[in-house]
Amino acid sequence: MRRKRFTFALICTLCSSMWLSTVHAEKVSDFEMQTSATESANSTFTVTLKGKDIQDLYAYEAKFNFDPKVLEIVKAETKIKGFSVSPIVKNNEITIAHTKIGNVNGEKGNLDIATITFKAKRAGTTAVKWTALKVLDRNLKDQEFTPNQSSTFTKIFSDIVSHWAKQDIMEMVTKGIVEGMDADSFAPNNNITRAQFAALIARALDLTEGSGSNPFTDVKSGVWYEDTVKKAYAAGIISGLSKTKFAPEKSITREEMTTMLMRAKAYASGVKIDSIASDSTTTFKDDSKISPWAKASVGFALKSGLMKGRTQTTFAPKESATRAESAAVIKRLLNSK
């Protein structure tokens, strides 16, 4: 009966984080957190807490920081016999706890303390940080460690695993500039519309001024891209196919994308567009297909590295730009600021 009362008291102590005394450990390297994968199209991953040269581990409590908007905890497990407290989630902190039961010795040597399984709610890169570890030996003597170790995991879309633009897409997704079609797919080879590309530029440059008048009759009040078009128009980044027509739902061509990029570069640099005009000479076999109004933009974008040819020998100015290409050029624009 005495041992049962002792065990109950120990569990209560773990759950309430009330410890008898604290001895700060000097060897933080005695503990390590490892991740099952750093990048995967699978939504789940695990982190394992490992201990080295453990002398007498009877019970433990571990705390982690995470982003609940991106991650959710699935379960916490341990191979150590005893009783585990279900993971406690409060705001952006997770607490797990476990104790052995009865008059037994604590664990010794090198061992896996616990394995925690997480699920990514959406694509992107996120981190789990191990912030604290408290352990008790069988005599109720406690120690407190501050590992301050992080494990990073990137959930990638299943349809870009081997795509040439995978890294560009995931970097822009993590920064909140581009989004997937859903939690598992990006549709990298789908065309992107003029309104959608304008929205990417507006997010990338954090455009805020968009309260002016809207000159385009085909950008109706209340549509999702109304504010985006106003912002990009006020910044001088977009123009219409005519004075009153923007064609927001039309797939953007590569030469149209290039022109928007050059204007966005001028805006980001705080200079007039004429000051960054470039030689329009290019060496693609389809140079003659580039519209006269896009020649300077294409020349600038190629020489500055903002754009590349669709192939080694063609620019494909009249072909529609893809979602993958849009993510790649937005990344280059941000890196050139």
Side-chain angles (χ1 to χ4, degrees):
M1 180 62 72
R2 184 176 180 180
R3 172 57 64 177
K4 290 182 178 180
R5 289 177 180 174
F6 163 75
T7 302
F8 176 76
L10 176 58
I11 294 172
C12 290
T13 299
L14 284 167
C15 295
S16 63
S17 297
M18 296 175 61
W19 298 82
L20 297 178
S21 62
T22 300
V23 177
H24 293 280
E26 297 179 357
K27 295 183 179 180
V28 177
S29 60
D30 286 345
F31 298 95
E32 181 183 7
M33 180 168 65
Q34 294 184 356
T35 309
S36 60
T38 57
E39 179 183 278
S40 176
N42 193 328
S43 297
T44 60
F45 69 101
T46 63
V47 295
T48 301
L49 312 184
K50 292 181 172 289
K52 181 180 179 181
D53 297 327
I54 302 300
Q55 299 303 311
D56 184 358
L57 191 154
Y58 190 88
Y60 65 82
E61 177 190 78
K63 292 181 180 292
F64 310 85
N65 283 343
F66 78 121
D67 186 349
K69 295 180 182 179
V70 181
L71 289 179
E72 62 182 3
I73 186 168
V74 178
K75 60 183 177 180
E77 300 175 297
T78 181
K79 296 180 180 179
I80 301 173
K81 294 182 179 180
F83 174 79
S84 292
V85 177
S86 297
I88 300 170
V89 179
K90 185 176 182 181
N91 298 324
N92 65 334
E93 184 177 75
I94 299 171
T95 303
I96 64 172
H98 180 83
T99 180
K100 302 187 79 168
I101 298 175
N103 186 16
V104 296
N105 292 325
E107 298 294 316
K108 294 183 179 181
N110 302 333
L111 66 147
D112 291 351
I113 299 171
T115 299
I116 305 98
T117 302
F118 291 92
K119 180 179 180 181
K121 298 179 180 179
R122 61 173 186 258
T125 300
T126 188
V128 177
K129 185 176 182 180
W130 188 8
T131 58
L133 174 66
K134 297 178 180 178
V135 297
L136 284 178
D137 63 21
R138 68 190 303 272
N139 296 314
L140 291 184
K141 181 181 178 181
D142 71 299
Q143 289 181 295
E144 181 178 351
F145 301 84
T146 308
N148 280 333
Q149 298 179 25
S150 295
S151 287
T152 302
F153 175 75
T154 300
K155 159 84 169 73
I156 63 176
F157 297 105
S158 59
D159 56 358
I160 67 167
V161 173
S162 58
H163 197 278
W164 65 266
K166 180 182 74 172
Q167 296 302 326
D168 296 336
I169 291 169
M170 292 312 306
E171 184 174 333
M172 293 300 96
V173 167
T174 299
K175 289 184 176 181
I177 294 174
V178 304
E179 299 175 345
M181 301 300 287
D182 53 45
D184 295 312
S185 63
F186 185 77
N189 298 324
N190 284 12
N191 295 341
I192 184 169
T193 68
R194 287 166 54 83
Q196 289 169 341
F197 188 67
L200 297 190
I201 289 181
R203 290 185 204 131
L205 300 184
D206 194 23
L207 300 182
T208 56
E209 297 180 3
S211 59
S213 60
N214 170 22
F216 305 115
T217 57
D218 56 355
V219 178
K220 304 297 183 181
S221 177
V223 295
W224 71 265
Y225 48 79
E226 179 189 12
D227 188 54
T228 289
V229 170
K230 285 182 177 180
K231 289 177 181 178
Y233 182 76
I237 293 172
I238 65 171
S239 60
L241 299 185
S242 69
K243 290 184 178 180
T244 59
K245 183 180 179 181
F246 180 65
E249 302 293 350
K250 175 181 174 292
S251 294
I252 193 170
T253 65
R254 283 172 51 82
E255 64 180 7
E256 289 171 342
M257 172 184 279
T258 306
T259 302
M260 281 195 198
L261 278 174
M262 187 172 79
R263 292 172 181 157
K265 174 63 177 177
Y267 175 87
S269 302
V271 300
K272 293 183 178 180
I273 195 168
D274 292 341
S275 68
I276 61 172
S278 177
D279 185 353
S280 61
T281 303
T282 57
T283 58
F284 293 109
K285 291 181 178 180
D286 56 358
D287 280 352
S288 60
K289 296 181 180 180
I290 302 174
S291 299
W293 52 264
K295 285 280 188 178
S297 297
V298 172
F300 167 78
L302 290 170
K303 290 186 178 181
S304 64
L306 289 177
M307 287 285 287
K308 298 179 180 179
R310 179 151 284 181
T311 69
Q312 292 291 329
T313 58
T314 61
F315 184 74
K318 299 293 192 295
E319 292 185 22
S320 297
T322 67
R323 284 169 52 81
E325 288 173 332
S326 69
V329 298
I330 292 295
K331 175 185 173 181
R332 294 173 199 150
L333 175 64
L334 289 176
N335 289 344
S336 70
K337 289 174 62 178

